[in-house]
Amino acid sequence: MIELTEVTKVYGEGRPDRVEAVRGVDLTIADRAVTVLEGPSGSGKTTLLTLIGCLARPTMGRIRLDGEIVSGLPEKFLTEVRRRTFGFVFQKFNLIRGMTALDNVMLPAFPLGVPHARLKAHARELLEHFGVGDRAGLGVENLSGGEAQRVAIARALINDPAVVIADEPTASLDGARVEQFLAMAADLKAQGKTVIITSHDPRITRASVVDARVAMADGRIVEATP
Amino acid sequence: MTSASLASRPRGSTLAALSTCGLVLALGALIAAALLARPATEARRESGRALARELGLTDPALFGEARYTRHPSQADLASAFQDAPTGLDHFPAGSLVAAPRGFGTGHIGGGEE
Amino acid sequence: MGARFERQRHLLDFAVASLARRPAKNLGLTLVYALVVFLLGSVMLFGSAIRREAGVMLADAPEIVAQSMVMGRHDLATGADLEALKGLRGIRRVEPRLWGYLWDSAGAANYTVMVPSPSDAAHALASGEAIVGEGVARARKLAVGKPFFLVSPAGKFLRTRIKAILPQASALVSSDLVLVAEADFRSFFAIPADRYTDFAIEVANPREVSTIAEKASVRLPTYRFVTRADMHRTLEALFSWREGLALALLAASLLAFVILAFDKASGLSAEERREIGILKAIGWETSDVIRMKLWEGTAISGTAFLAGLLAAWVHVFFFSAGLFEPVLKGWSTLWPRFPLSPEVDALEIATLALLTVVPYTAAVVVPIWKTAVTDPDAVMR
Ligand SMILES: Nc1ncnc2c1ncn2[C@@H]1O[C@H](COP(=O)(O)OP(=O)(O)OP(=O)(O)O)[C@@H](O)[C@H]1O
Ligand SMILES: [Mg+2]
């Protein structure tokens, strides 16, 4: 369970271009459920995700992860938490160009000292699972948008995280791909993972697999269901 | 790329280790060759040493332009182009050979200390 | 142990892949790096080899050479002084020597013309015979049995026949020698019968060399006494001077390299910055990123160092340091063709490694550290 209390994030504090991207957010995200953050552009969805995912620290407020306060931890411990708990699927996928799909998937586990053969087999399994096993040896710059996304999801799962965070996963996908993505989200939920998605795409926000919806505007939560 | 060729693709660390090994081996081979050639080298040097002893040679025959570059240890303490102990002269080798030290002592141990 | 090893190995995997992704930049950097190591290494290897070579060959130089001085200049030594020296206690033998320089306009070269000692049976010469060094033979295209003419500054001719050519193995010390018989030498240079170039002195007890030289200089105050230690000191000074000079010149190239390395290695491109952000976001620690970059630096500097050293070795010992020859040669027409044998000074190699690897590694790590400690949330945008 992830609990946010009075969380505020300010960019450029003390400068004329100071932005309060997230203001006083109280939010609880349930385990083993799919939560969607929605809201207009610039409403602070991505910023909130970086706070939840321990990619950045809040300016004020507290974030608890399974009861443990993580918002004040120094960077070294944040990395540790991030590695243990979260898998990210970035808006632009952020695969590393010039490397194969397989290598990209294996990447998060490189510093863990997992035996190479086992890691490779696991990565291959994940790629197979998401239907891109035959693309394993291809450089990621040659993948289609949908393939790249599935590789990115496989990468997010390689360390078996409890929480999968996806920022605007369907921004560049057509209808069939959106269905595919929703099926994957359902699949992850079935595996017992917590899924957090941002989107302003009604095909996602209204999907049946979604358990909780959080609407944001101007850095605040304006509506949360249930 | 097929998965078969993918499986056989070597890891970066393997390539790095191989190329390092290759370079180290090549260097090792050169050093080993030098060590193997040691007796011959010693023999050659000894023959040079014997020649130098027989003829009473005092200096290497590297720079033949002038007295003080050909036989630096035997050179006058004062001679043309060398009026100042560290003076420059017009020989290219003069930039490579230091003028004899102890200028003007005219005496044994004209060197430093 | 296994996990740690696998982890480092994975980091190295990534480092190699990331180097391969920017082939032009990294290849260029490695080449420049290797070139610097090659130049510095060549100077070092050449320097220590030639020092050793000359050191061994001249180890048995005369213990003391006595030169007559007049007005601060060389003058011919006399038979009377020879007798005076011979009477000195502690001196075992005094060998009067005849040698001098001859500018040969035909070969455009300076020869060292010398009379072998009468006790030297190996080089005993009859009048009309000559033995020449490898350089002279090369310059004048001489072979055993061929005639060889010399013209003295006074216009006097000396006709000789080549009896032998000194072996190339000792060219370093003998390349410009022309050995002739005493009678030929005296008539050619018009040296009177009891005049000599200098005296080579052999002492009874080598430990008393300086005492004897001191005593001798009291007996013959117009003479200069050059001890073997003086000769070796000159030799050492000659080579360290030259090597130091070359290294000083090369220091400029080293500096240029450091600047280049700093620029290339530290100027993280936006792409690299993004990659580091991604790595951190997907769970790499700052230390993992730095370690990976260290591997990158090690791969480049290690490869460049080994390749540069290898090339330097081949250059110096297989091509007789051919690139340096024009610099060293100057106007010496008789530059000896001597074989050089490797003489490895581990300390020197370590110095070379330190001199080149440390600046590079610093250039790589410092800026990485700066980016790696920043928050990774930038990759979300
Ligand atoms: N690093 C930053 N520095 C300054 N301002 C920032 C920074 N990151 C985000 N902002 C600002 O914070 C606000 C919230 O941005 P955020 O990216 O969280 O919105 P979003 O809801 O994800 O928008 P979108 O739907 O377009 O992705 C925006 O006004 C943005 O300009
Ligand atoms: Mg966003």
Side-chain angles (χ1 to χ4, degrees), chain A residues 11 19 21 40-47 91 168 200, chain C residues 381:
Chain A
Y11 289 113
V19 181
S41 188
S43 57
K45 305 182 297 289
T46 300
T47 305
Q91 186 166 353
E168 310 269 358
H200 41 226
Chain C
R381 279 158 238 284

Side-chain angles (χ1 to χ4, degrees), chain C residues 1-50:
Chain C
M1 160 65 212
R4 266 205 186 160
F5 176 78
E6 195 56 65
R7 166 178 156 166
Q8 295 297 340
R9 197 163 164 204
H10 274 132
L11 293 181
L12 178 56
D13 281 343
F14 184 83
V16 171
S18 109
L19 287 175
R21 252 175 288 140
R22 287 170 271 274
K25 171 184 157 175
N26 292 309
L27 213 66
L29 195 57
T30 311
L31 276 181
V32 174
Y33 198 153
L35 187 72
V36 171
V37 175
F38 167 76
L39 287 175
L40 289 172
S42 292
V43 170
M44 283 183 171
L45 290 176
F46 184 75
S48 49
I50 205 170

